Amino acid sequence: MEPIIRFENFGFKYNAQQKPTLYDINLSIGKGEKVLIAGPSGCGKSTLAHCINGLIPASYRGEMTGSLTIAGKDSRELGIFDISRHVGTVLQDSDGQFIGLTVAEDIAFALENDCVALPEMRERVMKAAKLVDISGHLGHAPNELSGGQKQRVALAGVMVDDVDVLLFDEPLANLDPATGKQAVELIDQIQKETGAAVIIIEHRLEDVLHCHMDRVVLMGEGRIIADMSPDQLLSSSLLSDSGIREPLYITALKYAGVEIRADMAPASLETIKLSGEEKEKLRRWFGSRPEAQAAEDKKLLLEAEGLSFAYDNGHQALKNVSLKVYRGELMAIAGTNGAGKSTFSKVVCGFERQQQGSLSFNGGDLMELSIKERADHIGYVMQNPNQMISKVMIYDEVALGLRTRGVAEEEIAGRVEETLKICGLWPFRNWPVSALSFGQKKRVTIASILVLKPEMIILDEPTAGQDYRHYTEIMEFLRKLNEQGITVVMITHDMHLMLEYAGRAVVFSGGRVIADSSSAAILTDPETIGRASLKETSLYPLALMCGIDDARAFVQRFIDYEREAVRK
């Protein structure tokens, strides 16, 4: 059977760059296949996707070598409109894909362009909406929907044209863990019902492999490093060699001395086969690890009591929220989209004013302080660094807060130098911000807050969209800041981040705090996981599978061991 997508000795160089981004790509994808494309940031994954969906050369100009055929036709001879009849793309940011004022209008957009008759249009829109289970929201505006519902609408909008290929660009990046799991299951269901080829580009390997994938294409520095089954890949060292995070259960088995082989079917916990001896190895490893040390008492820094807040549209975002943050903590705030996490941070920073309750910081009343005065004590770092940066040069961006406070230039120079060195940005001090990577920009925004010498920093999704290497780089940097005495609070959907770095987690659901405990305790509690749309760590079922009754203790000992291993 002729492949739907075929690259032969393909290369691509952007006009604005000196070196090619893709080299010697040979890849074929047939109808009905499910392929995961993985690799570190900058490896060429997105460029490969842009070649498949026609954005190259329609929007991004450059020089192609070799050949790319789509449905048997040379891509150079096809316009982006022609390619869109074969390839449907679901973007990472669903909001950037919406056209219509209602869900129904958005799904119908492609059909309207094709001048499809109204009765047939309605029938096809309803069929696509039912397939993705969004038919009950056809009259809603897209911006009224949750993150998972928005993704369903975007998927229906490309499926309505009956395409041969569904291309997903980091579909899990902006979703909470439970919704991400549902998204992977939905993609699997759609593929089975339509027979389309599915291509997924994603950092979160373990989450995607929750459902069967035929192949994983691993990329590095513009080339294909491997093209093999998930079982073959997980039984090799290619992921760790490439700086890609392995599934946690694989890492745990390796720590216990278990050799991972392809015939074990290690692609998921549902398929993996462990012998009695291999299970015993895990039990022995668990027994050899020391118990977790009790946390030492810390001084109270921030206390919220009975906070309630409603937006002007009547939405009650916080309902009688009480929690404490202790000096020197590195803690996480987790929960589903719309649970109240970001609203709580806005109230703490003074961007919003609570209608009920009290806030104290270092024993003083926060209500008496302005936004500027609160910022002298509490720094807030947004998820997207581009929304915080306002200066062209790195030095000026980090100095901005001090200059607006009227600090003398001599003192500014010393404090900016010290902060840039702490943040690993001193070599780039005379660079424009635009020359930095996303992760480096994130550091600049942290530096611009850190230079003000706050006692506490709140970070909204500090590692969103980062590959494992950049994720580790950012988190190790934050850990070192924490060790210098700065209290760090992270709002996150990333369960791995909670486990690895946050000693304590507070879980929000429906505007309330529903759990406050260690990360290991929360991610092994089925009730909390269900109420807050979290996802249990794969370490929990692995422990039970191997006959370890105290799964919570197993997870905690793995975390402690992992922290030691990462920091050696």
Side-chain angles (χ1 to χ4, degrees):
M1 184 176 69
E2 178 72 18
I4 295 294
I5 306 290
R6 184 198 290 273
F7 291 90
E8 291 185 303
N9 302 319
F10 184 86
F12 179 77
K13 182 180 81 68
Y14 290 100
N15 285 341
Q17 295 183 353
Q18 288 186 328
K19 295 182 179 179
T21 299
L22 297 177
Y23 300 86
D24 197 29
I25 301 295
N26 288 285
L27 175 67
S28 294
I29 298 173
K31 191 163 185 180
E33 277 198 289
K34 289 178 66 185
V35 179
L36 168 62
I37 299 178
S41 295
C43 71
K45 302 188 302 294
S46 295
T47 298
L48 193 74
H50 292 157
C51 293
I52 293 171
N53 64 20
L55 288 177
I56 291 176
S59 298
Y60 306 106
R61 302 290 179 178
E63 177 188 341
M64 288 185 187
T65 56
S67 69
L68 164 60
T69 56
I70 298 173
K73 297 179 181 177
D74 191 321
S75 65
R76 295 176 177 87
E77 299 172 5
L78 298 172
I80 193 168
F81 178 74
D82 297 315
I83 291 176
S84 71
R85 291 182 173 276
H86 298 286
V87 181
T89 304
V90 178
L91 300 173
Q92 175 181 341
D93 179 10
S94 300
D95 290 326
Q97 198 157 344
F98 293 135
I99 300 294
L101 297 177
T102 66
V103 167
E105 288 178 15
D106 201 82
I107 296 173
F109 181 71
L111 302 179
E112 289 177 332
N113 279 345
D114 291 345
C115 299
V116 173
L118 192 58
E120 182 186 347
M121 187 187 300
R122 284 177 175 155
E123 182 181 340
R124 287 170 66 177
V125 166
M126 183 55 72
K127 180 181 176 183
K130 284 182 177 177
L131 202 57
V132 301
D133 193 24
I134 203 69
S135 54
H137 297 79
L138 291 176
H140 288 63
N143 63 9
E144 295 174 351
L145 305 180
S146 70
Q149 290 170 330
K150 287 177 179 179
Q151 196 171 64
R152 288 171 185 263
V153 175
L155 182 52
V158 296
M159 285 174 48
V160 76
D161 246 354
D162 194 23
V163 293
D164 299 311
V165 179
L166 290 169
L167 175 62
F168 295 87
D169 183 7
E170 294 200 36
L172 309 183
N174 297 314
L175 301 180
D176 61 54
T179 307
K181 181 180 178 183
Q182 292 166 10
V184 172
E185 291 169 350
L186 175 64
I187 292 169
D188 187 58
Q189 172 201 333
I190 296 302
Q191 190 278 326
K192 288 174 180 174
E193 296 192 21
T194 64
V198 167
I199 303 171
I200 301 176
I201 298 170
E202 183 57 66
H203 290 301
R204 288 158 60 174
L205 191 78
E206 181 176 333
D207 293 335
V208 176
L209 293 180
H210 165 66
C211 290
H212 171 75
M213 300 296 295
D214 295 306
R215 293 152 59 197
V216 180
V217 175
L218 183 63
M219 295 188 66
E221 297 182 353
R223 302 179 189 275
I224 292 178
I225 297 172
D227 181 353
M228 56 181 64
S229 73
D231 289 333
Q232 291 172 319
L233 183 65
L234 290 176
S235 60
S236 74
S237 64
L238 287 167
L239 287 177
S240 54
D241 292 346
S242 301
I244 305 295
R245 182 202 295 276
E246 295 174 322
L248 284 182
Y249 63 90
I250 295 289
T251 306
L253 288 167
K254 286 184 176 179
Y255 285 159
V258 175
E259 180 190 355
I260 308 299
R261 306 179 312 277
D263 62 8
M264 295 167 65
S268 77
L269 269 175
E270 285 73 26
T271 61
I272 194 168
K273 303 179 187 72
L274 297 173
S275 68
E277 183 184 347
E278 287 161 343
K279 291 178 181 178
E280 176 60 26
K281 280 186 176 181
L282 195 74
R283 289 194 292 270
R284 283 201 300 267
W285 179 86
F286 168 64
S288 70
R289 300 303 307 156
E291 292 185 20
Q293 298 297 310
E296 58 187 66
D297 290 338
K298 292 186 176 179
K299 184 180 177 184
L300 183 63
L301 181 65
L302 173 76
E303 182 171 17
E305 287 190 293
L307 288 190
S308 293
F309 175 82
Y311 287 100
D312 291 340
N313 63 6
H315 172 61
Q316 188 76 30
L318 298 178
K319 304 170 186 175
N320 194 31
V321 168
S322 297
L323 70 85
K324 297 176 180 179
V325 178
Y326 297 92
R327 184 176 294 281
E329 272 197 306
L330 198 162
M331 64 170 281
I333 296 178
T336 186
N337 292 333
K341 307 183 300 294
S342 294
T343 301
F344 173 76
S345 300
K346 290 174 183 176
V347 169
V348 168
C349 294
F351 306 146
E352 303 286 359
R353 290 269 176 170
Q354 74 264 29
Q355 282 103 16
Q356 292 178 347
S358 63
L359 272 170
S360 63
F361 190 86
N362 258 340
D365 187 355
L366 265 187
M367 287 294 291
E368 296 177 357
L369 302 182
S370 65
I371 293 176
K372 181 263 174 190
E373 289 169 329
R374 294 191 198 197
D376 291 336
H377 303 280
I378 305 168
Y380 182 72
V381 180
M382 299 171 73
Q383 178 176 341
N384 185 347
N386 295 318
Q387 294 176 337
M388 287 185 68
I389 292 169
S390 57
K391 293 294 182 181
V392 174
M393 306 303 290
I394 292 172
Y395 183 96
D396 292 334
E397 180 64 34
V398 177
L400 180 62
L402 296 175
R403 285 175 175 157
T404 57
R405 286 163 171 76
V407 177
E409 282 295 326
E410 186 178 341
E411 182 180 347
I412 289 174
R415 285 172 64 172
V416 169
E417 177 180 347
E418 177 189 14
T419 304
L420 289 174
K421 286 179 177 176
I422 290 171
C423 297
L425 293 168
W426 181 245
F428 313 111
R429 59 192 177 279
N430 296 319
W431 284 29
V433 176
S434 59
L436 300 182
S437 68
F438 186 89
Q440 288 169 326
K441 287 180 182 177
K442 198 95 170 180
R443 287 192 178 203
V444 170
T445 58
I446 296 171
S448 68
I449 298 298
L450 192 62
V451 76
L452 302 176
K453 297 187 176 178
E455 295 161 79
M456 175 172 139
I457 295 181
I458 302 173
L459 302 106
D460 193 353
E461 295 289 355
T463 59
Q466 301 288 301
D467 64 25
Y468 188 46
R469 181 169 65 84
H470 290 101
Y471 161 104
T472 304
E473 191 178 271
I474 288 172
M475 288 311 304
E476 284 299 298
F477 164 62
L478 291 175
R479 182 183 65 82
K480 287 171 183 172
L481 290 184
N482 178 245
E483 288 177 350
Q484 293 174 25
I486 295 175
T487 303
V488 177
V489 177
M490 305 173 296
I491 299 170
T492 185
H493 282 144
D494 190 331
M495 302 298 94
H496 291 172
L497 181 150
M498 276 178 59
L499 281 173
E500 288 180 62
Y501 290 94
R504 171 180 164 229
V506 174
V507 182
F508 278 65
S509 179
R512 302 181 188 277
V513 172
I514 64 165
D516 183 347
S517 188
S518 72
S519 298
I522 284 169
L523 294 180
T524 53
D525 178 11
E527 183 183 354
T528 301
I529 287 167
R531 287 179 66 189
S533 294
L534 304 178
K535 178 172 166 282
E536 70 180 14
T537 168
S538 58
L539 299 171
Y540 181 70
L542 174 67
L544 298 180
M545 181 190 301
C546 294
I548 297 172
D549 294 330
D550 195 347
R552 181 175 298 181
F554 173 78
V555 173
Q556 187 62 57
R557 291 181 199 182
F558 172 87
I559 295 165
D560 295 340
Y561 185 80
E562 179 88 342
R563 286 172 181 161
E564 291 174 18
V566 167
R567 287 158 200 172
K568 278 181 180 175

